[in-house]
Amino acid sequence: MTSPDKPAASTASSTSSASAASSGTPAASDGDAKAVTEAALFEAFGGLRGMVETVLPGLLFVTIFTVNKDLHTSAIAALAVSLLLVVVRLIRRDTVKHAFSGVFGVAFGVVFAMMTGNAKDFYLPGMIYTLGLAVAYIGTTLAGVPLIGLILGPIFKENLSWRTRNPGRKKAYAKASWAWGLILLAKCAILFPLYWWADTTQLGWILIALKIPPFLLAVYLTWVFLAKAPPPIDVFAEMEAEERAEKERAAVAAATAADGSGPRHRR
């Protein structure tokens, strides 16, 4: 889950915008802040299309396996549709990061299931990844560097400025990371027992059912926390404003030096 950058009209306006962001003063209305947050989340998490690309391979796998119980056919079909989604994005010249992540996830599942001969193992790498991601969200938050801030900081053009210069925003990132971690842990608490007790089709359909709702809940809570947080500090705008100010100071100094070293007229 990109909006084009709007160049500043002048050095003064850029400097004032940067200073306003640095001081925590909202530079836009609440509606604008919410819109920016929505756009950033859309870019970070892929939006509707990203969700479809995440669900479709697993849905195809469990559907085919439910019908014919053929591991090889189900696995090949899931991998083929993942590759097809990447090709479509390449043809359309769209970003492929979400589609590529889906291909790697499906490929790991296919290889693992083929090696063990157990169709349920198609889902195991993704489940382990979900558990690891939950631990990462919680662990980084406890360490004072919430993972969601590391993900969204570059998209908001604030990088890591929220860690030391924007405590309100750091707190919002911490809340969002806790939300992601706990939601993913709850999902794992449902899926791992089913891996041992349920058959492949039961596990597959429940996993498909749990793909989107927890994700949407986590994204919504992230949006709520960030929409109420102080605006991000645009460190790139600050650097550009400082560069322009430095050039202006150098030009003024050069002009002053030229005036002082000009020819002197005798009386």
Side-chain angles (χ1 to χ4, degrees):
M1 307 149 123
T2 312
S3 57
D5 303 337
K6 294 183 179 180
S10 64
T11 303
S13 62
S14 298
T15 308
S16 62
S17 298
S19 62
S22 302
S23 62
T25 303
S29 65
D30 291 341
D32 292 336
K34 291 179 180 179
V36 169
T37 302
E38 289 175 5
L41 292 175
F42 185 89
E43 179 180 347
F45 299 115
L48 179 60
R49 188 173 178 182
M51 288 189 289
V52 171
E53 292 172 343
T54 300
V55 172
L56 189 57
L59 178 61
L60 188 61
F61 177 90
V62 70
T63 300
I64 295 175
F65 191 84
T66 300
V67 173
N68 62 14
K69 307 298 181 184
D70 188 339
L71 171 59
H72 290 80
T73 303
S74 304
I76 292 172
L79 186 58
V81 76
S82 297
L83 292 172
L84 179 61
L85 292 172
V86 172
V87 171
V88 170
R89 280 190 174 265
L90 289 173
I91 293 174
R92 295 169 58 90
R93 297 183 179 180
D94 293 335
T95 176
V96 296
K97 61 180 179 180
H98 301 292
F100 265 130
S101 64
V103 168
F104 287 127
V106 172
F108 276 117
V110 167
V111 170
F112 202 62
M114 292 291 191
M115 289 175 59
T116 64
N118 185 354
K120 281 199 292 187
D121 288 338
F122 173 79
Y123 304 109
L124 189 58
M127 292 165 56
I128 294 173
Y129 172 77
T130 300
L131 179 60
L133 195 58
V135 172
Y137 274 117
I138 294 174
T140 54
T141 304
L142 292 174
V145 193
L147 179 58
I148 197 70
L150 300 178
I151 296 171
L152 295 180
I155 298 176
F156 281 112
K157 301 180 184 179
E158 59 183 338
N159 287 350
L160 296 179
S161 62
W162 51 268
R163 288 193 61 198
T164 55
R165 300 172 57 192
N166 205 338
R169 198 157 180 85
K170 181 179 179 180
K171 185 176 180 180
Y173 280 137
K175 290 179 180 179
S177 286
W178 272 114
W180 278 93
L182 294 176
I183 288 171
L184 294 179
L185 278 181
K187 181 178 176 179
C188 291
I190 297 172
L191 292 179
F192 275 96
L194 289 174
Y195 174 80
W196 299 106
W197 300 333
D199 60 30
T200 301
T201 55
Q202 290 172 336
L203 175 62
W205 287 113
I206 292 173
L207 195 147
I208 292 298
L210 291 177
K211 273 283 188 184
I212 300 303
F215 171 80
L216 290 179
L217 176 60
V219 171
Y220 172 73
L221 291 175
T222 302
W223 176 80
V224 169
F225 295 140
L226 292 182
K228 296 179 180 179
I233 299 171
D234 191 336
V235 294
F236 297 101
E238 286 186 336
M239 289 188 292
E240 290 173 359
E242 180 59 31
E243 288 177 0
R244 284 193 292 268
E246 183 64 29
K247 289 179 180 178
E248 288 183 358
R249 287 194 293 268
V252 170
T256 303
D259 291 341
S261 61
R264 297 180 180 179
H265 298 283
R266 294 182 180 178
R267 294 183 179 178

